[in-house]
Amino acid sequence: LAADFSNLKSEVTMVNNSEADWFHLDVMDGIFVPNISYGIQIIKSIKQYAKKPLDVHLMIHKPERYIKDFANIGADIISIHYEATIHLHRTLTQIEDVGCKPSVVLNLTTPVSVLEDIIDKCYMVLLMSINPGFGGQKMEEITYKKIEKLRKMIDTNNSNTLIEIDGGVNLKNAKKLIDCGADVLVAGSSVFKSKNPIDTISELKNIN
Ligand code: ZN
């Protein structure tokens, strides 16, 4: 979302050449979140040049309608919001059936406990650390506690579920997020708006 869309190919190349592990793509429908971002066509173009997995974050109402379409254009991980689908189990199965890795996203005020009975089925849980819809926002403090609770749940279940954090991640808060138990950090503005994105990614990757 934070990339320069008039220069998408060079932005994709930059990420290819960086230490980043995945491309994180924010799809917004103007209903589930107030903003509209981009959809199938843009991701198809990114896929042409991307040399790393596509982590597709669907901020759309009733995502079950589009799982197949995103799988067909090369999504590797598909993240759907807990709040956007009525039958979470069915939608996660749908994602598995098309050969993608299923991931569930929780909004800021959705408690992690709602995932207790389905954690084993989640390749990843994405915790929103801002109110989704726009880039460039400041991370909310509540995130740290939520990561710790989720980490406990995952460890208690002996599951391999990854914890991903999305929203306001930067060089200042990354270490604390990792210390609380996060596995995957999404960085938008803090990377793309920095002087040297490749260096910033490298700094983020080498925090320990
Ligand atoms: Zn996202």
Side-chain angles (χ1 to χ4, degrees), residues 159-172:
S159 92
N160 297 318
T161 307
L162 299 171
I163 301 176
E164 181 176 50
I165 307 303
D166 188 5
V169 172
N170 58 39
L171 280 166
K172 281 183 200 140

Side-chain angles (χ1 to χ4, degrees), residues 1-3 26 135-136 166-170 185-194 204:
L1 193 65
D26 286 319
D166 188 5
V169 172
N170 58 39
L185 303 181
V186 177
S189 310
S190 65
V191 163
F192 287 94
K193 306 278 186 270
S194 71
L204 278 165

Side-chain angles (χ1 to χ4, degrees), residues 24-26 57 59 126 128 166 186:
H24 183 85
L25 307 171
D26 286 319
H57 176 187
M59 281 171 260
L126 195 178
M128 286 307 309
D166 188 5
V186 177

Side-chain angles (χ1 to χ4, degrees), residues 32-188:
F32 182 71
V33 288
N35 202 4
I36 296 176
S37 59
Y38 50 80
I40 301 280
Q41 223 39 51
I42 295 281
I43 296 182
K44 226 178 180 174
S45 310
I46 293 172
K47 181 70 184 178
Q48 262 188 287
Y49 301 104
K51 293 182 180 150
K52 296 173 182 186
L54 302 189
D55 173 23
V56 178
H57 176 187
L58 298 180
M59 281 171 260
I60 64 179
H61 181 55
K62 293 189 180 168
E64 56 271 21
R65 297 171 295 159
Y66 296 103
I67 302 298
K68 234 193 191 148
D69 297 316
F70 284 101
N72 285 342
I73 55 160
D76 294 278
I77 301 158
I78 298 182
S79 295
I80 52 157
H81 273 259
Y82 170 84
E83 305 84 3
T85 186
I86 294 174
H87 297 287
L88 183 62
H89 185 276
R90 181 180 294 157
T91 311
L92 292 179
T93 305
Q94 220 185 322
I95 298 173
E96 283 170 355
D97 288 348
V98 293
C100 296
K101 291 176 173 131
S103 160
V104 180
V105 194
L106 298 183
N107 275 340
L108 211 49
T109 53
T110 304
V112 298
S113 58
V114 297
L115 298 177
E116 232 161 45
D117 296 327
I118 200 161
I119 194 73
D120 286 335
K121 207 172 168 63
C122 306
Y123 169 74
M124 183 164 80
V125 174
L126 195 178
L127 296 178
M128 286 307 309
S129 39
I130 54 165
N131 286 311
F134 298 93
Q137 300 185 64
K138 197 176 157 279
M139 171 172 298
E140 298 286 343
E141 285 290 317
I142 189 179
T143 306
Y144 300 110
K145 266 197 182 140
K146 290 184 76 176
I147 299 172
E148 285 171 349
K149 279 187 197 164
L150 183 58
R151 180 85 269 157
K152 227 179 240 169
M153 186 198 297
I154 291 168
D155 292 348
T156 308
N157 273 275
N158 278 326
S159 92
N160 297 318
T161 307
L162 299 171
I163 301 176
E164 181 176 50
I165 307 303
D166 188 5
V169 172
N170 58 39
L171 280 166
K172 281 183 200 140
N173 55 29
K175 182 166 169 31
K176 190 168 172 189
L177 293 168
I178 295 164
D179 288 346
C180 287
D183 302 291
V184 184
L185 303 181
V186 177

